[in-house]
Amino acid sequence: MSAAVDVSGTGRPRRLGKALPGALWALLLLTPAFVSLASVSFYPIVNGLYLSLTNTSLITQDQDFTGFANYVQLWGDAQFWNAWWHTMWFTLASTTLETVIGLGMALILCEAFKGRGLVRAAMLVPWAMPTVVTSKMFGWLFDGQNGIINYILLHAGLIEQNVNWYGSTQTAMTTIIIADVWKTTPFMALLLLTGLQTVPNSLIEAARMDGAKGWITFWYIRLPLLMPTLLIAGLFRALDAFRVFDLVYVLTGGGPADSTETLSTLSYKVLFSTLQFGYGAAVSTAMFVTEGIIALVFCLYLVRQIRRAQ
Amino acid sequence: MNDTRSPLQSIAIYLGALLILIWSAGPFLWQFSTSFQLDKALTSGSPSLIPSPFTLEHYYNAFVEKQLHRYVWNSLVVSLATTFLCLFVGSLAAFALSRLNIKGRFGILMVILSVSMFPQIALVGPLYLVASNLGLLDTYTALIITYLALGLPLVTWVLFGYFETLPREIDEAARMDGVSIPGLLWHIILPMSLPSLVTTGLLAFITAWNEFLFALAFTSNIDHQTIPVGIANFTNLYYVPWGDIAAASAVVTVPLIVLVLFFQRHIIEGLTQGGIKE
């Protein structure tokens, strides 16, 4: 990760900026970006921390400091833990499926075949589509009565009667995971493909010469070399999956019977339906902390993997 | 390279490729086909991919009844403004980080990138209060300011990566000729970075075009709501108008897909550089 920066660090032009010293120019050019990120990203996080320690509500107009009262309430809030577990499950299931299926797709794309460009182009379709549209589209595909998925499964003899996919507590979360896997896997595959293409072909050729079978070259050469890419892509994906909102909010709204409620949809409801901005901030701060822990665990694992590889 | 491939392996590869193609394009093709079918045909119990009879009824409903064009207009205004602001602010920052002598620039880049990992739901409450206090609810401004910050990390990161690939000798030569620092960026670096600017611009545009959470929170009527909010609210009293939704989906997705396919190579390169390789 730091290699690129080290290389670019050499030969830095020293004599830039006659009228203004270089440092002043740097400050000037970075200011707009800093102002933007500070006001729209850092300020809300800090302000959210403060709000989570107050009983701010737009209904009662209260705004008093209450210490950790919100967090105490949060700890005993069954709805919060319900959403927390759903979010963790969603993150784990979708990230794992997307990484594994994405790797399979990348391995196929790695081979030369006619029409590869077409396939690769088509893979950007799910990524480019607005998530709200994906959500509505899956609403139609998985519709309990006239959905094409039910029709196909029924005629293939895989189910005996129409499944009420996202209308039943049994299958709603699974439907959302399928939608997310559909949307994100092809893109994941494209990321992994660029990683695979950096594995030197000579290594694989050499192994083949020595009589190694396809899966052996995969297991002992490609996979270990791909590991850092795989882990980083997985991390980015997990962090993104953890804040899932659009898909759930539009497809099920957290229902039926809270069976698909995630931390983002719960926060949104607490904020904008009950207008309890203090408690809502506590929910989203708890979410921020969980996300931080996921990132930390991933990074520690990544560092260990890289160390072991060296 | 592939002389060693057995017929069986070839078949497996083509089969896999076909599956990926169906996976990626199939659902949207079905959605597209749905948009041209009568409600009667959609609920008949025997779905067909070829619309028969063919109808534009759903497009009529989407535009005339649901006023889709007004959402499209709002989205265009917000997304284009966001794109240009992102490119402007992002290229200034990327240029400074790449070309000026800045201590700890790797740290700065990491901070900028980590910002894009913040859960957006944690930002929406406090920002709503600010927007409300400043009277910015139901304005384009609130959305544009927010989307600028959402798009900026990726834009800066990708542009920085591109600027780093431009040879430094060019800077030296320009400096010798007495070109100022803004002149170096404006007359030399930016014109050379056109392909990257197009890609990053497209990424910023897509981010803004597809964003839902903030648009949902900050706008409450059709005068400023963007497409995702419009489509999310596409419901009728007694049934879900799947055909109308499909038509609206096609209208807002097809242009995006065409753009993305047109620039696909640059997009994949740009994103992998931003997300993985560095």
Side-chain angles (χ1 to χ4, degrees):
Chain A
M1 258 191 168
S2 61
V5 173
D6 290 341
V7 171
S8 60
T10 56
R12 226 176 265 168
R14 292 257 160 73
R15 291 176 293 113
L16 286 185
K18 269 171 205 159
L20 272 176
L24 225 79
W25 267 116
L27 202 67
L28 200 66
L29 296 180
L30 281 173
T31 303
F34 274 135
V35 170
S36 166
L37 294 178
S39 53
V40 178
S41 294
F42 286 104
Y43 164 75
I45 290 288
V46 176
N47 186 239
L49 270 176
Y50 170 75
L51 281 175
S52 75
L53 303 175
T54 68
N55 62 358
T56 305
S57 160
L58 298 192
I59 291 181
T60 60
Q61 297 291 331
D62 281 334
Q63 227 176 341
D64 308 318
F65 187 81
T66 52
F68 288 95
N70 283 329
Y71 290 97
V72 173
Q73 189 189 340
L74 196 68
W75 191 256
D77 185 345
Q79 264 195 321
F80 168 76
W81 288 110
N82 177 44
W84 193 87
W85 282 110
H86 286 158
T87 312
M88 290 305 264
W89 167 239
F90 173 83
T91 305
L92 182 74
S94 61
T95 307
T96 312
L97 284 173
E98 283 153 17
T99 313
V100 172
I101 304 176
L103 184 60
M105 286 185 180
L107 283 171
I108 289 173
L109 282 177
C110 218
E111 303 287 334
F113 60 86
K114 278 196 199 102
R116 184 160 72 156
L118 176 75
V119 175
R120 212 150 47 169
M123 288 171 78
L124 282 172
V125 170
W127 169 78
M129 177 183 283
T131 313
V132 170
V133 170
T134 310
S135 208
K136 288 285 186 192
M137 193 175 85
F138 271 77
W140 171 227
L141 287 170
F142 283 80
D143 184 57
Q145 287 182 327
N146 301 305
I148 187 92
I149 297 294
N150 270 338
Y151 178 82
I152 293 172
L153 292 179
L154 206 59
H155 283 255
L158 292 171
I159 52 175
E160 280 167 10
Q161 55 185 40
N162 279 348
V163 175
N164 190 7
W165 289 99
Y166 51 92
S168 124
T169 52
Q170 305 289 315
T171 45
M173 193 44 129
T174 311
T175 313
I176 287 174
I177 292 172
I178 294 174
D180 193 69
V181 169
W182 175 78
K183 185 170 172 53
T184 323
T185 306
F187 190 70
M188 187 73 150
L190 292 173
L191 292 186
L192 295 180
L193 178 65
T194 46
L196 270 179
Q197 282 166 341
T198 60
V199 175
N201 244 332
S202 55
L203 266 179
I204 294 166
E205 293 293 317
R208 280 205 186 131
M209 294 285 187
D210 291 343
K213 288 248 164 46
W215 69 271
I216 293 188
T217 55
F218 169 73
W219 197 253
Y220 289 101
I221 298 174
R222 277 177 160 173
L223 196 60
L225 285 172
L226 192 65
M227 215 42 173
T229 313
L230 212 56
L231 284 171
I232 295 174
L235 168 66
F236 275 64
R237 189 53 222 140
L239 294 182
D240 211 33
F242 191 76
R243 36 183 199 190
V244 59
F245 177 77
D246 308 13
L247 212 50
V248 181
Y249 190 84
V250 176
L251 194 60
T252 64
D258 292 341
S259 63
T260 57
E261 193 79 273
T262 59
L263 288 171
S264 283
T265 54
L266 180 69
S267 303
Y268 193 85
K269 284 177 188 169
V270 174
L271 287 171
F272 292 101
S273 298
T274 72
L275 298 178
Q276 292 172 286
F277 272 60
Y279 192 56
V283 177
S284 54
T285 303
M287 185 174 164
F288 191 57
V289 170
T290 315
E291 194 171 8
I293 294 173
I294 295 177
L296 196 72
V297 170
F298 247 105
C299 286
L300 286 178
Y301 185 68
L302 188 68
V303 167
R304 249 184 53 185
Q305 282 286 323
I306 290 172
R307 282 232 182 98
R308 195 183 294 169
Q310 276 166 355
Chain B
M1 189 177 135
N2 299 303
D3 344 308
T4 54
R5 205 189 273 166
S6 70
L8 205 66
Q9 279 172 315
S10 291
I11 291 172
I13 286 166
Y14 276 98
L15 206 65
L18 187 69
L19 280 178
I20 300 177
L21 197 62
I22 294 174
W23 170 303
S24 306
F28 186 67
L29 282 181
W30 173 237
Q31 186 82 342
F32 197 57
S33 158
T34 298
S35 73
F36 297 113
Q37 300 191 30
L38 288 171
D39 281 334
K40 213 167 45 192
L42 293 174
T43 53
S44 68
S46 53
S48 130
L49 190 61
I50 311 295
S52 109
F54 182 90
T55 175
L56 289 174
E57 184 188 278
H58 298 304
Y59 288 86
Y60 177 85
N61 288 346
F63 280 104
V64 178
E65 269 180 30
K66 314 274 190 190
Q67 304 270 299
L68 185 65
H69 52 281
R70 294 180 65 187
Y71 296 111
V72 173
W73 172 251
N74 295 338
S75 271
L76 270 178
V77 172
V78 170
S79 307
L80 285 176
T82 305
T83 308
F84 285 110
L85 272 173
C86 264
L87 287 180
F88 177 68
V89 177
S91 60
L92 292 186
F95 171 76
L97 289 168
S98 167
R99 288 309 207 256
L100 302 180
N101 201 352
I102 293 177
K103 275 189 197 118
R105 58 191 181 149
F106 186 60
I108 295 176
L109 270 171
M110 286 312 279
V111 169
I112 290 179
L113 192 67
S114 68
V115 166
S116 67
M117 294 289 119
F118 287 0
Q120 285 159 3
I121 192 74
L123 311 180
V124 74
L127 284 180
Y128 177 89
L129 294 177
V130 174
S132 167
N133 287 337
L134 297 176
L136 287 176
L137 292 179
D138 282 314
T139 61
Y140 292 140
T141 317
L143 292 181
I144 294 169
I145 291 176
T146 311
Y147 295 169
L148 167 64
L150 295 188
L152 205 51
L154 190 63
V155 167
T156 309
W157 190 261
V158 176
L159 280 178
F160 171 81
Y162 193 82
F163 290 169
E164 286 291 289
T165 65
L166 301 176
R168 267 146 223 286
E169 288 74 28
I170 297 172
D171 304 28
E172 305 274 339
R175 298 301 301 164
M176 294 287 192
D177 291 344
V179 176
S180 64
I181 286 183
L184 178 65
L185 173 64
W186 185 249
H187 293 295
I188 296 169
I189 303 275
L190 283 186
M192 285 171 68
S193 307
L194 220 53
S196 184
L197 287 173
V198 172
T199 321
T200 40
L202 192 58
L203 293 177
F205 185 86
I206 291 176
T207 310
W209 184 265
N210 294 354
E211 205 284 328
F212 178 60
L213 173 60
F214 291 99
L216 184 68
F218 292 173
T219 57
S220 59
N221 61 60
I222 195 169
D223 290 332
H224 296 95
Q225 278 173 338
T226 54
I227 285 167
V229 183
I231 290 186
N233 291 337
F234 249 49
T235 43
N236 282 358
L237 208 49
Y238 301 110
Y239 69 103
V240 188
W242 292 121
D244 299 358
I245 291 172
S249 306
V251 170
V252 305
T253 312
V254 169
L256 215 57
I257 290 178
V258 170
L259 272 177
V260 165
L261 294 189
F262 195 70
F263 292 108
Q264 54 146 324
R265 203 159 288 272
H266 296 293
I267 290 180
I268 297 173
E269 268 168 26
L271 275 177
T272 43
Q273 193 182 27
I276 297 292
K277 265 195 195 155
E278 289 290 317

